[in-house]
Amino acid sequence: MTEHTGAKYGGAPGSRGRTSIADVVVEKIAGMAARDVRGVHALGSGFARSMGSMRERMPGAGSGKSVTRGVSVEVGEVQTAIDLELVVDYGFSITDVAGAVRENVISAVERMAGREVVEVNITVGDVKLPDEEDEEQERQRLQ
């Protein structure tokens, strides 16, 4: 009986070949991880959110909020850089929320996509005040 090792055939089976990960995959992972942080009201600027909600109502455009709104990435073979635009709930420390978002996004992308995250740049474009209606709620009320 002979033993066959991965080395004889060019390495372990899991390392033979190349895995490509599309930018949109990393965008979705980062978007979901950012939304999971307490104090994050939404991702994207007010304009991007309103354009997105208009697109969502168009026939054939799919349903639900776009997970990638407010997220852009640059994905390389082993590294990635992520830019996020956030709306933070009033009363939360913006620096604490940004730090928690960075930690959550880096952890999720590195664990799920196997890419080293070299930077997560965050722009806080708005603060959601307690008495402000969400744009979506306001549109539903007006219809």
Side-chain angles (χ1 to χ4, degrees):
M1 183 171 173
T2 58
E3 252 184 69
H4 296 287
T5 62
K8 182 177 179 182
Y9 296 102
S15 67
R16 296 181 202 167
R18 197 176 118 210
T19 302
S20 297
I21 298 175
D23 290 5
V24 70
V25 173
V26 176
E27 287 174 350
K28 286 181 177 183
I29 293 168
M32 290 298 293
R35 282 178 176 80
D36 283 346
V37 174
R38 195 163 171 264
V40 173
H41 179 74
L43 268 66
S45 67
F47 179 74
R49 290 194 319 273
S50 62
M51 290 303 292
S53 65
M54 285 191 320
R55 274 193 304 272
E56 289 164 5
R57 286 194 298 266
M58 296 173 74
S63 61
K65 292 182 179 179
S66 172
V67 177
T68 60
R69 186 179 308 134
V71 182
S72 63
V73 300
E74 291 179 33
V75 180
E77 287 294 317
V78 294
Q79 294 181 324
T80 188
I82 301 168
D83 294 325
L84 300 170
E85 186 168 1
L86 305 179
V87 176
V88 175
D89 286 319
Y90 178 81
F92 285 86
S93 163
I94 292 172
T95 55
D96 290 350
V97 170
V101 166
R102 277 191 186 90
E103 287 180 25
N104 216 32
V105 167
I106 289 169
S107 174
V109 170
E110 289 184 349
R111 180 178 50 84
M112 295 176 71
R115 299 295 185 265
E116 176 192 5
V117 178
V118 292
E119 64 183 7
V120 176
N121 299 309
I122 296 173
T123 300
V124 177
D126 202 356
V127 173
K128 169 67 172 70
L129 300 176
D131 58 345
E132 286 180 326
E133 282 191 46
D134 281 335
E135 293 172 13
E136 189 61 32
Q137 290 172 337
E138 187 175 332
R139 271 191 291 280
Q140 288 174 353
R141 186 177 51 81
L142 294 174
Q143 289 178 351

